Amino acid sequence: MRMRKTVLTTIAVLCAGGAVAAGTGVTVARTSGAPALAATGWTQVGHDVKSGVSGLAVTSRTGNTYRVLVALDNKRPGENRIAQLDYRAGESVPTSTMRPLEWKGGAEPIDVEAIESVPGTSDEYLAVSSRGLVYHLGVTDDGKAVQVQDLAPLPAIGQGDDFESFTLVSRHNKLAAVWADRGEGDGRPATLYAAPLSFNQYGETVFGAVTKAAYRAPYPTQDVRHASDISVTDSGRLLIASASDGGNDGPFDSAVSDAGSVSLDRSGRVRLTVAHSPQVLRKFEGHKVEAVDCVSGSDTAVLGTDDENAGGALTTARLCH
């Protein structure tokens, strides 16, 4: 693994905290474009503060079964950072068991917040920490570990930024990244960022010119984190999850909103548009949604929660039309 020198400086500056993010889609046949329906029941995937879902990437789908890579925001040495599970949507299965993946190729990150599949690959991911470190990961051949291939900072990090959201957009054989500082309450809206993204010959992540915009969630209204995750639909709609966090025992509240659009032209130029009046697509009362992944080729999103002491849960909802 080739590590750039600038990363070592970044690690020294950001060692007080970090998080990982990423998510992506797997192609399936397109289903109905009807309005979003009520979410299915929640499937519990953990029962304590160490098993909340901070980010997820759908890696494959067979019928109503989704194989998912999950990011967990644990902070102590030896605690799980990345796990895999098979989630069966719409069935009365109370629990789906996580299979922890070993972290190889560098120090364990602190506070992994999102994970995204790299389009055009079968086993590569970008994970982002709360302090803006981007981990380029590959799943090992035996499927039991993730290997760090590169480590780099997000560009244009603002003062006080705390990242929980990251997604990738693929159009015209070009890639763009979209990410966000989560914001906090009335005094700090989320800051959305977008930039072209590529990988050089060494597998290092390279960001282009950055565009940014402010975003305030229409719901929840109390103790709100305006952007707890981001996904972009096949049609380019920008979906943003927002969440209310009342502490480790709640209360929690969440919503996913249609917040604008993202486009990427043939030259690789990125256009980020934020809606003046974002539309709430679905509310998820009693849960803190921190992971949303639109499944490419469908209108289905897989959602994950980090409900702190109550653990994590998954569900699906038709939001990605």
Side-chain angles (χ1 to χ4, degrees):
M1 174 184 61
R2 174 190 169 99
M3 286 286 188
R4 63 191 83 192
K5 293 182 180 178
T6 56
V7 170
L8 300 180
T9 303
T10 303
I11 293 172
V13 173
L14 301 179
C15 62
V20 179
T24 189
V26 52
T27 300
V28 297
R30 176 163 293 284
T31 59
S32 168
L37 301 178
T40 63
W42 292 93
T43 296
Q44 196 76 21
V45 297
H47 299 276
D48 60 24
V49 72
K50 297 180 182 179
S51 56
V53 177
S54 294
L56 67 83
V58 177
T59 63
S60 65
R61 175 185 177 181
T62 303
N64 67 340
T65 300
Y66 299 84
R67 176 153 291 185
V68 178
L69 214 61
V70 170
L72 303 100
D73 63 357
N74 292 319
K75 301 167 180 63
R76 295 179 180 177
E79 293 178 340
N80 189 20
R81 265 63 173 181
I82 305 292
Q84 187 181 75
L85 59 86
D86 293 323
Y87 161 59
R88 293 176 178 85
E91 295 185 6
S92 57
V93 180
T95 302
S96 185
T97 303
M98 289 190 187
R99 299 182 292 277
L101 301 184
E102 183 182 356
W103 186 275
K104 291 185 174 182
E108 294 173 320
I110 298 172
D111 203 17
V112 176
E113 290 290 349
I115 186 164
E116 179 78 7
S117 300
V118 177
T121 74
S122 60
D123 58 1
E124 294 185 23
Y125 305 86
L126 293 183
V128 178
S129 76
S130 62
R131 293 295 176 259
L133 290 177
V134 182
Y135 297 82
H136 186 182
L137 305 175
V139 177
T140 57
D141 291 342
D142 62 7
K144 296 181 179 180
V146 290
Q147 176 79 38
V148 179
Q149 300 178 1
D150 181 55
L151 175 58
L154 287 169
I157 295 175
Q159 183 175 2
D161 276 357
D162 193 342
F163 300 104
E164 291 189 345
S165 310
F166 185 89
T167 194
L168 294 174
V169 179
S170 177
R171 302 284 190 276
H172 312 299
N173 295 315
K174 305 287 186 180
L175 286 178
V178 185
W179 67 98
D181 160 55
R182 72 187 189 185
E184 193 76 33
D186 293 337
R188 185 182 177 101
T191 301
L192 305 180
Y193 299 85
L197 181 141
S198 60
F199 300 98
N200 67 17
Q201 61 181 322
Y202 304 109
E204 295 172 344
T205 307
V206 179
F207 291 91
V210 177
T211 299
K212 62 181 181 179
Y215 174 76
R216 291 184 182 275
Y219 186 90
T221 58
Q222 300 294 321
D223 301 313
V224 63
R225 298 175 180 177
H226 297 278
S228 58
D229 202 14
I230 291 174
S231 193
V232 176
T233 71
D234 289 347
S235 64
R237 302 307 302 167
L238 174 64
L239 304 189
I240 299 182
S242 52
S244 176
D245 185 350
N248 282 352
D249 294 313
F252 304 121
D253 200 358
S254 301
V256 175
S257 299
D258 185 338
S261 64
V262 179
S263 63
L264 182 63
D265 67 21
R266 294 185 182 277
S267 70
R269 183 175 58 180
V270 182
R271 181 180 178 86
L272 171 65
T273 302
V274 176
H276 293 295
S277 300
Q279 177 188 0
V280 175
L281 300 176
R282 184 68 57 207
K283 297 177 182 179
F284 300 94
E285 297 178 1
H287 290 283
K288 181 159 63 94
V289 173
E290 289 198 0
V292 180
D293 191 13
C294 285
V295 180
S296 184
S298 80
D299 60 6
T300 298
V302 179
L303 303 98
T305 74
D306 182 355
D307 295 329
E308 302 299 340
N309 288 338
L314 297 181
T315 193
T316 56
R318 292 173 59 188
L319 304 174
C320 304
H321 51 277

